[in-house]
Amino acid sequence: MELKGKVAIVTGSARGIGRAIAVALARKGANVVINYAHSEDEARKTEEMCRRYGVETLVVKADVSKRDEVREMVQRVIERFGRIDVLVNNAGILGKALRPMKVTDEDWDAVLGVNLKGAFIVTQEVLKYMKKGKIVNIASIAGKDGGTVGPHYAASKGGLIALTFNLARHLAPNILVNAVAPGPVDTGLISPEIKEKLRKLSLTGEIAKPEDVAHTVIFLLENDHITGELVDVNGGRLMD
Ligand code: NAD
């Protein structure tokens, strides 16, 4: 799909990986909807970075886990652009790092509510208007290998991978749905000691940059013959 002139929503794009995806889309000439939950200032920074490419942007506050807020966001996108061609479900939270027996119902509901239910709510609301297009879900290596953070995070990302496959089956041929599973990504929040440890786990000797994930998302969006796939971006961590 040619991205120039298309309308793309990127959830959780005020910073980190979502910001890199929004900017990569803008670089390709897509008009970008920058969704955020907390920081309007950061979202405006993403907007400024996108605008450098001469595209149109819309910044919308909406908690993806809340149906009413998502519905309102999608309404605003339709009022402004009249169409939605691309959805990137990127918004996510890590939750507390906890061993299984320490996870409370509240911990579970918070993480699953954003990472899995949130992605589903946004997808449902967008599908009311998207007749032809692409969806990319940002999962995680934790959805494949269980990760080290917590069972709630792993389950949310494993669920998102399964949701991707189900949607791909049901929405083809007009809407193609794929997922990306990053390993650790350096969004500026990792300490130098942890970075060193993570580098050693990667065959590339490096930690992914947000742009590495964004590049993969663009590849999936531009390709018209890939659906129901999960693409790893983890420097070969699962190769043993
Ligand atoms: P981040 O915390 O820097 O950014 C996540 C964004 O999502 C933030 O802007 C946050 O405000 C937003 N968000 C959180 N809850 C939201 C909600 N309810 N509604 C709307 N927006 C919300 O995280 P990141 O590292 O850029 O991660 C982006 C995605 O990539 C997440 O889904 C994460 O699970 C996944 N991921 C990250 C890594 C990593 O190492 N950073 C690895 C694998 C997968």
Side-chain angles (χ1 to χ4, degrees), residues 108-224:
W108 182 270
D109 290 346
V111 171
L112 273 284
V114 175
N115 297 4
L116 184 53
K117 188 177 171 195
F120 187 56
I121 288 176
V122 180
T123 301
Q124 277 192 323
E125 293 302 323
V126 163
L127 285 176
K128 291 178 182 168
Y129 301 96
M130 184 190 277
K131 299 299 163 226
K132 194 167 170 59
K134 302 272 171 74
I135 299 174
V136 177
N137 294 324
I138 307 302
S140 166
I141 190 172
K144 294 181 75 174
D145 75 354
T148 52
V149 178
H152 43 348
Y153 184 74
S156 72
K157 294 300 186 177
L160 187 58
I161 293 167
L163 175 65
T164 302
F165 298 155
N166 179 276
L167 291 171
R169 283 183 196 281
H170 287 286
L171 301 180
N174 291 324
I175 298 173
L176 307 187
V177 190
N178 293 289
V180 178
V185 180
D186 187 0
T187 57
L189 304 175
I190 313 176
S191 71
E193 298 77 44
I194 302 280
K195 264 191 205 174
E196 212 32 56
K197 276 193 194 162
L198 292 173
R199 279 199 185 99
K200 289 196 179 111
L201 294 172
S202 160
L203 293 185
T204 61
E206 271 307 330
I207 307 167
K209 299 180 294 302
E211 291 73 21
D212 294 316
V213 180
H215 183 250
T216 311
V217 171
I218 296 294
F219 160 73
L220 289 169
L221 293 174
E222 288 188 330
N223 190 294
D224 292 329

Side-chain angles (χ1 to χ4, degrees), residues 21 35 69 78 82 86 88 91 116 125 138 146 178 188 195 197 219 232-233:
I21 295 168
N35 157 255
E69 293 186 22
I78 293 301
V86 168
V88 182
L116 184 53
E125 293 302 323
I138 307 302
N178 293 289
K195 264 191 205 174
K197 276 193 194 162
F219 160 73
D232 291 325
V233 182

Side-chain angles (χ1 to χ4, degrees), residues 69-127:
E69 293 186 22
V70 172
R71 194 175 287 142
E72 213 170 290
M73 169 175 74
V74 171
Q75 277 304 328
R76 282 189 57 194
V77 177
I78 293 301
E79 275 160 27
R80 169 76 182 273
F81 294 109
R83 58 193 283 177
I84 302 169
D85 307 286
V86 168
L87 168 63
V88 182
N89 282 309
N90 164 80
I93 54 173
L94 208 49
K96 288 179 241 163
L98 293 168
R99 295 184 63 78
M101 291 304 285
K102 298 281 185 197
V103 176
T104 63
D105 289 351
E106 289 72 29
D107 295 323
W108 182 270
D109 290 346
V111 171
L112 273 284
V114 175
N115 297 4
L116 184 53
K117 188 177 171 195
F120 187 56
I121 288 176
V122 180
T123 301
Q124 277 192 323
E125 293 302 323
V126 163
L127 285 176

